[in-house]
Amino acid sequence: IQELSGTITDSETAVILPGAKVSLYENMVVKNTTIADVNGVYKFPVDCGKSYNVRAEKEEYATKEVSITIGKLSGKTSLPISLDPVTCKVTIGDDLGKCFKIKMIYFDLDKSNIRQEAAIDLEKILVVLNENPSMKLDIRSHTDSRATFKYNEALSDRRAKSTIQWLIKNGVKADRLTGKGYGETQLVNKCADGVSCTEAEHQENRRSEFIITAL
């Protein structure tokens, strides 16, 4: 077993950030959570040779996630993390996802269940909603152009609703959330019906937006 530790600091001023919440993930599952101490230091016991993701979050800062593979020998591994102050001021009509550098909420093709890596991103949205209790969101889900127009409309609607249900299940009041599916009506690239595209290009169109409707 090893000790993984590091100091959480402000990326612009190098000031230490005590009280930052630090979480340890293995295969997208939370293994441990701690709060940085008065010196901004966090510590976790970890297994040699394994890979982890470490996420640091603090109010007024953009959440950051860093990957680390622990060495094969016992000892200590240092992983300092610097957080960027959130300079992004959101207003009504903005996409919260873009502002907080949240990736699109990914779904598998033909599915509307929340993937584990998507849940990690939805937790970031959850933090913002909890910090801003009067904020309301309109969740818009989009598909790629494969399958029929009607099928995609229904699929994206299920995806928007499953995203909303996940947030409600985690404590957000239902009256703060609206949403619907737009199917393939708002593609972000050239991949319309009949156009040859790579899987990655199609994936760009399978996305969710979190438009702020009230603050």
Side-chain angles (χ1 to χ4, degrees), residues 114 126 162-174 177:
I114 301 287
L126 189 61
S162 69
T163 304
I164 290 169
Q165 283 309 315
W166 188 96
L167 290 165
I168 291 171
K169 189 179 80 184
N170 284 279
V172 179
K173 288 202 171 109
L177 303 167

Side-chain angles (χ1 to χ4, degrees), residues 5 15 25 34 47 58 81 92 104 118-119 138 144-145 153 165 167 173 185 215:
S5 64
V15 167
Y25 290 83
T34 188
D47 293 325
K58 188 167 173 63
I81 299 175
I92 290 170
M104 302 303 181
D138 183 40
D144 60 39
S145 64
E153 197 171 42
Q165 283 309 315
L167 290 165
K173 288 202 171 109
T185 60
L215 278 173

